[in-house]
Amino acid sequence: QVQLVESGGGSVQAGGSLRLSCAASGYVYRSDCLAWFRQVPGKEREGVAGIDSDGGSSYAGSVKGRFTISKDNAKDTLYLQMNNLKPEDTAMYYCAARTFGDCYKMRSGDMDYWGEGTLVTVSS
């Protein structure tokens, strides 16, 4: 039973933009927190951006001002608009949901559902 499906990853040059999408099953979409994480080999998965059920959002310092998280309630879809991409943004990006609890700390251990990931590669 697939609950979160990411799309939109790809290869882009530094300074470019990508928009990631995450289609969610209805009950998962209604979680308190929906978030994007990313991971590179050998490193821990880190929270990138999160959005609460009331629309409040939070961002990692490294992406603040460049990335924007949003959601479309009519489509049960989460988005991550990524602008001014940098080579250090290269990672596998995952969509995640936390059933109860906010996104404030965006800890991977708090999330209940995960997508399979979509790869983003930024070249210099």
Side-chain angles (χ1 to χ4, degrees):
Q1 186 176 0
V2 179
Q3 289 125 345
L4 295 168
V5 180
E6 302 97 335
S7 61
S11 297
V12 65
Q13 288 193 326
S17 298
L18 283 173
R19 189 177 80 155
L20 305 183
S21 300
C22 174
S25 299
Y27 71 97
V28 175
Y29 183 81
R30 289 187 288 275
S31 296
D32 283 354
C33 164
L34 298 173
W36 289 96
F37 286 74
R38 66 186 180 187
Q39 188 171 26
V40 297
K43 292 191 175 182
E44 290 188 1
R45 195 168 292 188
E46 64 169 347
V48 174
I51 187 166
D52 295 323
S53 56
D54 64 359
S57 59
S58 53
Y59 295 90
S62 60
V63 307
K64 195 172 291 186
R66 300 188 297 122
F67 291 10
T68 303
I69 190 170
S70 63
K71 56 183 183 176
D72 186 333
N73 294 335
K75 298 181 178 179
D76 287 357
T77 301
L78 178 72
Y79 300 100
L80 184 69
Q81 178 66 44
M82 304 186 294
N83 297 329
N84 190 23
L85 282 160
K86 303 177 180 181
E88 52 263 42
D89 295 319
T90 295
M92 185 72 78
Y93 283 72
Y94 297 91
C95 175
R98 182 183 187 190
T99 310
F100 300 110
D102 61 36
C103 290
Y104 182 66
K105 292 186 177 180
M106 288 189 290
R107 293 179 296 203
S108 59
D110 289 339
M111 310 310 284
D112 299 305
Y113 299 97
W114 292 91
E116 294 294 316
T118 185
L119 181 63
V120 172
T121 303
V122 184
S123 58
S124 57

